[in-house]
Amino acid sequence: MPAGSVLAKDSFIVGEHGAIAVGPLFLMSKGAAGSNAVRRDWTYTMIMPDGSVREDAGIQKFCNDCHRRAGAEDDNLMFLPLPYRVTTSN
Ligand code: HEC
């Protein structure tokens, strides 16, 4: 992804008795090339349902430890498994 790219993923929480609530908004922002080798230049952010923003070192490590496993070719991006993707070609 080019520097400046921002990816967003929303989420929801299913609570007791099936009650559904808004979950965190997950963001990945691509920085300048070479700005952070460990994270392949990504910064990870969580915007909580109350509006607070979490972007501390612990969050960076937590998110990156998993996303990094997607590898360099996929640039840390996981994507939805194929059967769940919406496409315009079928
Ligand atoms: C245990 C592994 C794991 C952790 C930890 C994790 N993610 Fe993900 N993330 C995934 C997977 C798998 C997907 C693709 C499936 C989906 O969208 O549900 C994904 C998708 C995403 C996407 C959409 C782009 C993409 O790669 O498909 C964003 C943005 C994202 N995550 C941000 C975050 C942020 C921010 C954090 C930390 C607060 C985080 N993730 C922590 C596994 C993880």
Side-chain angles (χ1 to χ4, degrees):
M1 296 295 284
S5 300
V6 180
L7 302 174
K9 187 176 92 148
D10 59 358
S11 70
F12 60 89
I13 297 165
V14 180
E16 264 184 81
H17 312 299
I20 295 176
V22 175
L25 179 67
F26 296 92
L27 300 175
M28 289 174 67
S29 313
K30 187 78 170 183
S35 58
N36 190 302
V38 174
R39 299 199 305 265
R40 294 195 175 97
D41 306 326
W42 289 104
T43 296
Y44 301 88
T45 308
M46 263 200 305
I47 301 177
M48 307 307 286
D50 67 2
S52 62
V53 177
R54 297 191 57 190
E55 208 178 49
D56 54 79
I59 289 292
Q60 300 310 311
K61 179 169 171 28
F62 170 71
C63 308
N64 191 59
D65 281 354
C66 190
H67 272 264
R68 196 175 161 74
R69 288 157 53 187
E73 191 177 336
D74 282 343
D75 198 9
N76 284 20
L77 299 177
M78 299 283 192
F79 305 109
L80 282 175
L82 277 172
Y84 302 106
R85 289 186 199 171
V86 176
T87 68
T88 53
S89 58
N90 54 4

